[in-house]
Every structure is written in C-alpha cells, then in structure tokens.
Amino acid sequence: DKAGHKHFMAKEIAEQPQVIGDAISHYFGSGTDLHLPGDGIDFNGISRMILVACGTAYYACLTAKYWIEKLAGIPVEVDVASEFRYREPPVGEDAIALFVSQSGETADTLAALRYCAGKARTILSVVNVPESSIARESDLALPILAGTEIGVASTKAFSCQLTVLLIVALEAARQRGRLDADRQAEIVTALRGLPARLNLALDTEAITERLSQELAEAQDVLFLGRGQMYPLALEGALKLKEISYIHAEAYASGELKHGPIALIDQNVPVVVMAPRDPLFDKTVSNMQEVMARGGKVLLISDKAGIEAAGDGIWRSIEMPVVEDLLCPILYAIPAQLLAYHTAVAKGTDVDQPRNLAKSVTVE
Ligand code: M6R
C-alpha cells in the first residue's frame, strides 16, 4: 500500500519524521537517559571499533565514524564488507565490531560478522529486521524501527540507521565520561525536535521537484561535502545513480583540487551539502573554485549559509537550522528528494531500478 503516493520510495521518504521519532522515543523513553537494550556493551574496555556494511549502510557507518571519534574519542575503522571479509584484518578483544544492515541478510556483511565472531570483544548490529541472520548472530542487535522498506533505494532505513548510530556514539561518550549531563540533555532535546525539522525539510519538495527537472538533463553530477557531510555526499550520489542512472560521484570538498575539478564545466551540476557549521567557510572557497570554472553549484544549506555563499550560486535548497550533529540526518531528505524527482522526471522505474535487488544475499 503506497498510502496515496506514486511510489513506495516517496511514501518511505515521507515517513521519516514518524519513524525517526519512534526510534528516538524507543531509545530515550521520556527523559534524557539512554535505554540501550542489554547492559553488556562496555565501551571503556576497548581501544577501537570496527564498522562494516555495504552500500547505503556503509555510508551510515562512515558518518558514525565522525560521531564516535568526536564524541566518544574511540578510534573507528570503517570498511565495506566485501573488502573486509577477505583481507584477514586483525581483530581482537580490544575491539567492538558493529555491522549495519537494513535486511540483516546481506551475504558479505554476514560473512564479515562471522569472521569477527569469537575474535572481537562484542558483536553489535544495527538492523531493521530483528529476526534476520545478522541480528541473530550478534551479541546485541539494535533495531532501527524503520518499518518495512520496499523501495530498492534505501531512504528511511538510512536515516534511522544514522539515528541509532548517533545514539550508540552518545552512549559510548557517556560511558567514557566525555558527555556531561547538560550536553546530553541539549542533544536529546535537539533529537526530540528533529521530526519537526524533518517535516520542514520535506516542505522543500516542490522546489526540489522543479530543480530535478533541470538535473535530469545532466550526464554527470558531482556531490561535495566536508566533515560529517562527506558521507552524505556519497549517499546522495549513490541515490541519484541507482534510480536515475545519471552518473554521479562524490568527493570530500577538500579533494576537489586534487583531481575532480578537471571535470567541471557548465554541464556538470555540483551539489554541495553544507550547513553553516565551523567548516562552512572552507566549503565556500571550494564552491568559488567550481563557479570560477563555469560550474553550476546547487547549494543545500541553511538560510545563513545560502546568504553567506553570495551570488553566483546556480540554485539552492534551504534547510532549517539544527544542532550540528543532526545535520546528516536532516540533509538526507533533500538528497533523497533530488534523486527521487530526477528519476521520476527521467521516467525510470523508481522502486525497482534495473539490475538491482533489495537484498543482496549472494556475493
Ligand atoms: O540490507 P542492507 O542494508 O545490508 O543492504 C546494503 C545495500 O545493499 C543497500 O544499502 C543498497 O546499497 C541500497 N540499494 C542503497 O539504496
């Protein structure tokens, strides 16, 4: 049942305020204390975390690296499961291994989990399907509570994965004495306000739909982001290519002049995901480099960011202001809407893109 939407993907994008709100209530109850199920995870006894997944779930892990390292001070390694499983990486009792999977059945991710079982101190998973193999074979499975996701392109599962991974980072930071009660309360308040902000982000749909008509003409699209927004740029590019079949690539903004800037001309839209955070000014200079070469910048930012970026921006999409840590979750919405409407404009099969399966249970 598409609940009045044209595609499951549209329905699932629209459901995000609700399901993320559910996940937040599940893990926080009504106060500011965390309720991570199971008392077993000891973030003090470890010296590193290993995060492994595929596709969109891998990008959720990359985002979590920024959060866990910054908040909890634990070194984090992130890898795609198909590489991790065959590399014979050293894994020992000093590590928590964490696997992220919507389906919980992705063959490579499951094989990576089995490789770590009996080596790592704890096997954690972040899953949407609690009865799945990955959930069952973990010491502790944290549900993302996104509900059934039917569209092949992951949307609400991604933002719910991010939400739960941020909660894991907060719990790790709390245990390690790096999160005082005031800061914790501040973040929890921001999390509780997130569904309302997500609704505001969904209100940009009409603008995004118009922009997507123009994006649908492009052969190639670049996505740029810095810091915790870099993985989101990767996710935006994956989403666009998987359903619209437009070639899209993402780079960390600072990498632009190390190669990809050679691609820039007036035919290449460059989507920049950049809230006005402490790294914003650096991203502005990257945008100027693009514009100086005739590139078309589509800036996704907040009001202050769009104003500060000045003239010369091709198009912009304005996001509400949120606590910095929550920006990747909020900015997932315009990334998804852009991909969705571009695909609709191109007339592709949005829910069942060519050559792709929802769950990749073979290598
Ligand atoms: O079920 P999983 O989360 O393990 O699936 C991982 C990837 O196959 C999945 O995220 C894929 O990249 C999606 N099609 C992305 O939209």
Side-chain angles (χ1 to χ4, degrees), residues 105-295:
E105 300 296 346
T106 300
D108 283 324
T109 310
L110 182 58
L113 181 154
R114 288 179 177 157
Y115 174 85
C116 290
K119 299 188 183 80
R121 168 171 311 208
T122 308
I123 306 284
L124 277 183
S125 61
V126 170
V127 290
N128 199 28
V129 183
E131 315 74 42
S132 61
S133 307
I134 288 175
R136 279 187 281 109
E137 296 189 27
S138 307
D139 296 319
L140 179 64
L142 301 171
I144 62 168
L145 307 153
T148 309
E149 190 181 66
I150 291 174
V152 165
S154 185
T155 52
K156 62 176 180 169
F158 175 65
S159 53
C160 287
Q161 284 163 353
L162 288 179
T163 304
V164 174
L165 288 166
L166 177 57
I167 289 167
V168 169
L170 291 171
E171 170 63 8
R174 192 187 61 76
Q175 281 190 21
R176 291 168 74 104
R178 291 174 56 113
L179 189 66
D180 63 38
D182 286 353
R183 179 66 179 136
Q184 182 174 324
E186 196 174 88
I187 297 171
V188 175
T189 305
L191 272 167
R192 289 201 193 284
L194 183 58
R197 299 293 194 291
L198 294 167
N199 274 317
L200 291 173
L202 287 168
D203 287 344
T204 63
E205 180 149 16
I207 298 167
T208 310
E209 187 175 356
R210 269 201 309 280
L211 284 178
S212 299
Q213 310 294 325
E214 303 179 274
L215 221 55
E217 306 291 315
Q219 297 278 330
D220 309 279
V221 178
L222 278 185
F223 284 74
L224 298 179
R226 216 177 245 279
Q228 59 171 3
M229 302 307 283
Y230 166 48
L232 197 66
L234 291 161
E235 169 63 3
L238 174 63
K239 214 91 296 175
L240 186 67
K241 69 187 130 191
E242 105 182 291
I243 59 170
S244 77
Y245 315 147
I246 293 175
H247 170 236
E249 279 193 72
Y251 286 92
S253 304
E255 278 290 290
L256 191 64
K257 55 168 82 66
H258 299 287
I261 199 161
L263 296 171
I264 304 291
D265 64 20
Q266 64 285 3
N267 299 316
V268 183
V270 181
V271 181
V272 181
M273 313 250 191
R276 178 121 209 215
D277 61 13
L279 297 173
F280 184 78
D281 291 344
K282 301 198 182 301
T283 302
V284 169
S285 45
N286 300 131
M287 286 191 289
Q288 281 159 350
E289 289 157 8
V290 170
M291 292 179 314
R293 285 153 188 88

Side-chain angles (χ1 to χ4, degrees), residues 342-357:
T342 304
V344 170
K346 293 202 71 175
T348 55
D349 187 346
V350 171
D351 283 333
Q352 190 50 259
R354 66 187 183 198
N355 312 337
L356 290 174

Side-chain angles (χ1 to χ4, degrees), residues 48 77 79 83-91 115 119:
R48 63 185 181 128
E77 293 160 37
D79 212 340
E83 285 302 311
F84 181 87
R85 64 178 290 195
Y86 292 118
R87 208 179 53 233
E88 300 180 32
V91 174
Y115 174 85
K119 299 188 183 80

